[in-house]
Every structure is written in structure tokens, then in C-alpha cells.
């Protein structure tokens, strides 16, 4: 079945400070086409540029989250330069996710395979329905994990599990993914939407600038010495300490009231 309309491959919905982006090619398990790439990047850019957005959720329509590259898309057919495809689409997507000025949640509603699995793993917190699964499907078609997979997997689960997942390409259940530390939480299918919605609103009410600085510091620390990490923490804390949210957080604590954070 063809896509309904190329401009409907990603749906954006807004609830207060939270934007939910739904990958919308359910007939092909929301796999990536050129149109979907363009729509997703544009929607992420729009959320990043809108200072009233304080959390983004990515999920999939239908029974899948995302099955990675659409293998029927001419841009990815054998004979095409896959390095160029990655540079044009997947690399900008990863860079956009890793630099989002707000927390990003992956709500993995079903199977997440290939670049679809790594799309989820590039998000700050991954919640999955119990029936969902994660597949590093690349080896099955003669490729290696992309979309940041080789960088993310050993950091998330360690070298041995990263190799096990990447070399074998077996399906990992959401329960196992949580046990491995690959994802944040696995919840019952019926609870996914409400759990994600509550988490997104909770994150949106938190000090966004501090959350994003925390992500950046934790990622940077993976390749820093302790000395360098300590210096990075001091620099970031100096910047946060000069912001509105620190003043507000301390004032609210003293007044025993709920803080209202606004920095982004
Ligand atoms: O060019 C490059 O490839 C470079 C970029 C690489 C990045 C990558 O992501 S490489 C990895 C690409 N993805 C895969 O290899 C996964 C392929 N899909 C699957 O292995 C299976 O579909 C799943 C395990 C994900 C789910 O299996 P199942 O049995 O639940 O569903 P299904 O019947 O296989 O799929 C349902 C439909 O979605 C089916 O269409 P149909 O027969 O009903 O018309 C299937 O063809 C379609 N579909 C699923 N995945 C893709 C897809 N169509 C196009 N591309 C897909 N990736």
C-alpha cells in the first residue's frame, strides 16, 4: 500500500509543552523513506526552535515503532552509495537528536529494527511496550549497525552484549532490553501511552537547561579523564548557577512551593 500523502509520514501533536511525533507509515512498519526522513528532521527542528516546547516524544503508528531503512525505497537499493545515504539522512538525524535543547522520549510501541532501533536509542529515555522488541537487523542484510549504533550499543550495554546484539541480529524483547540496560523501562502495552504522557509532562516541568546540560556532560564524560570531566562540570554548573532556574529552584525550596522553571 503506498503512503497516504508524503507530507503525512510524520504526525505532530501538541499537548501543552509536549510535542509528540508519530512516524506514520504503518503499512511498512514506519520504515524510513526520503520523505519520512525530511518530515522527521523538519519536525524535530521545529520543536527545537520553538522555545515553548519543553519535551518531545517519538512513537510509531500501528503495530511497529520503526523497521529502519525502507528496503524498497530506491534511494537504498543495492548499487546506491549507502555512505551518501547515511550522510544525507541518518547522520543529520542523529546529530539533531543528540543536540535537542529539550529531553526526547522514545515511546517504542512495537518492533524497532535496524535504524529504527537506533533511532529509539538516540533518545534520552526509552520506554517500551512489553510486546515491543529491538533488533539490530543490519548483519542479516550484510551491513553494520548505523544511526549511531556502534557508538551507542557498547556505551549502553557493554562490549560483549553490544557484539551479541549486533553480530547475531536476534530479536531482544522489551523485558530483556530493560534488563540489559538498553532502555529505561518496559511497561504493559496498555500503560505505555499514559506512562509516556505523564513522564513527558513531568520532564517538561523540570529545569530543561539543566537536563540538557546533564545529558551533554554525561555523554562528554565517556571520553574525558576525571580531571577533564570535573572541569566540565564546573563550567556547566557556573552557567546553570547564573540562570533563572537555579534562583527559582532555591527560592521555591525555601518557600516550600512548586518551582516554575523557564530556562531553555
Ligand atoms: O540502504 C540501507 O539499507 C542503508 C541503511 C540502513 C539502515 C537500516 O535500517 S538497515 C535495516 C533495515 N531493516 C531491516 O532489515 C528490517 C526488515 N524488517 C524485518 O526484518 C521485519 O519486517 C521485522 C522483524 C521488523 C518485523 O517482522 P514482522 O513479521 O512483524 O512484519 P513483516 O510482515 O515482516 O512486515 C510487515 C510489513 O512491513 C511487510 O509488508 P507487506 O508484506 O505486509 O506488504 C514488510 O515488507 C514491511 N516492512 C517491514 N520492514 C520493512 C518493510 N518494508 C520496507 N522496509 C522495511 N525495512
Amino acid at each position: 500500500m503506498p503512503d497516504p500523502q508524503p507530507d503525512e509520514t510524520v504526525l505532530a501533536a501538541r499537548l501543552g509543552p509536549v510535542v509528540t511525533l508519530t512516524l506514520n507509515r504503518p503499512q511498512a512498519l514506519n520504515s524510513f523513506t526520503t520523505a519520512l526522513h525530511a518530515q522527521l528532521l523538519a519536525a524535530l527542528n521545529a520543536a527545537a526552535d520553538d522555545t515553548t516546547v519543553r519535551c518531545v516524544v517519538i512513537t510509531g503508528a500501528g503495530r511497529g515503532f520503526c523497521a529502519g531503512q525502507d528496503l524498497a525505497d530506491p534511494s537504498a537499493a543495492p548499487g546506491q552509495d549507502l555512505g551518501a545515504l547515511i550522510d544525507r539522512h541518518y547522520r543529520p538525524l542523529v546529530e539533531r537528536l543528540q543536540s535537542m535543547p529539550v529531553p526526547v522520549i522514545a515511546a517504542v510501541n512495537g518492533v524497532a529494527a535496524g535504524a529504527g532501533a537506533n533511532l529509539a536509542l538516540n533518545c534520552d529515555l526509552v520506554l517500551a511496550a512489553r510486546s515491543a522488541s529491538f533488533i539490530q537487523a543490519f548483519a542479516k542484510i550484510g551491513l553494520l549497525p548505523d544511526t549511531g549504533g556502534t557508538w551507542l550499543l557498547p556505551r549502553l550495554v557493554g562490549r560483549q552484549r553490544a557484539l551479541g546484539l549486533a553480530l547475531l541480529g536476534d530479536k531482544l524483547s522489551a523485558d530483556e532490553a530493560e534488563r540489559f540496560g538498553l532502555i529505561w523501562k518496559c511497561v504493559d502495552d496498555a500503560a505505555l501511552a499514559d506512562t509516556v504522557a505523564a513522564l513527558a509532562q513531568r520532564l517538561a516541568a523540570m529545569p530543561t537547561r539543566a537536563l540538557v546540560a546533564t545529558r551533554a556532560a554525561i555523554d562528554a564524560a565517556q571520553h574525558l579523564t576525571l580531571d577533564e570531566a570535573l572541569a566540565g562540570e564546573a563550567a556547566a554548573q557556573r552557567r546553570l548557577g547564573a540562570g533563572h532556574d537555579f534562583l527559582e529552584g532555591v527560592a521555591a525550596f525555601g518557600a516550600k512551593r512548586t518551582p516554575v522553571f523557564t530556562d531553555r
Side-chain angles (χ1 to χ4, degrees), residues 66-243:
C66 175
Q69 173 62 42
D70 185 323
L71 297 173
D73 194 271
S75 69
Q80 298 296 312
D81 177 352
L82 298 190
L85 178 78
I86 285 173
D87 283 343
R88 196 174 312 124
H89 295 302
Y90 289 101
R91 189 172 172 173
L93 174 62
V94 171
E95 289 171 349
R96 175 69 281 179
L97 287 167
Q98 295 283 345
S99 66
M100 282 297 282
V102 298
V104 182
I105 300 172
V108 181
N109 52 302
V111 63
N118 295 339
L119 165 67
L121 300 184
N122 274 288
C123 296
D124 296 316
L125 291 175
V126 185
L127 276 79
R130 205 165 300 283
S131 67
S133 55
F134 296 81
I135 311 174
Q136 293 294 322
F138 306 88
K140 291 182 174 169
I141 55 169
L143 299 177
L144 89 168
D146 60 22
T147 319
T150 60
W151 190 87
L152 287 163
L153 287 170
R155 282 172 168 76
L156 289 167
V157 298
R159 182 174 187 273
Q160 185 58 206
R161 280 175 164 165
L163 283 171
L165 294 172
L167 298 185
L168 302 175
D170 286 339
K171 183 183 281 196
L172 190 73
S173 71
D175 269 321
E176 286 176 296
E178 181 185 320
R179 220 169 28 250
F180 273 29
L182 188 71
I183 67 170
W184 174 238
K185 270 191 196 328
C186 162
V187 300
D188 289 341
D189 289 21
L192 182 67
D194 286 351
T195 306
V196 168
L199 180 65
Q201 294 295 339
R202 178 179 164 195
L203 286 168
M206 292 179 71
T208 305
R209 190 184 292 175
L211 301 187
V212 170
T214 302
R215 172 219 290 150
I218 285 179
D219 286 343
Q222 302 302 311
H223 55 83
L224 295 179
T225 64
L226 176 59
D227 262 2
E228 291 166 337
L230 290 172
E233 287 175 4
Q237 210 71 299
R238 181 174 300 119
R239 187 170 61 84
L240 294 171

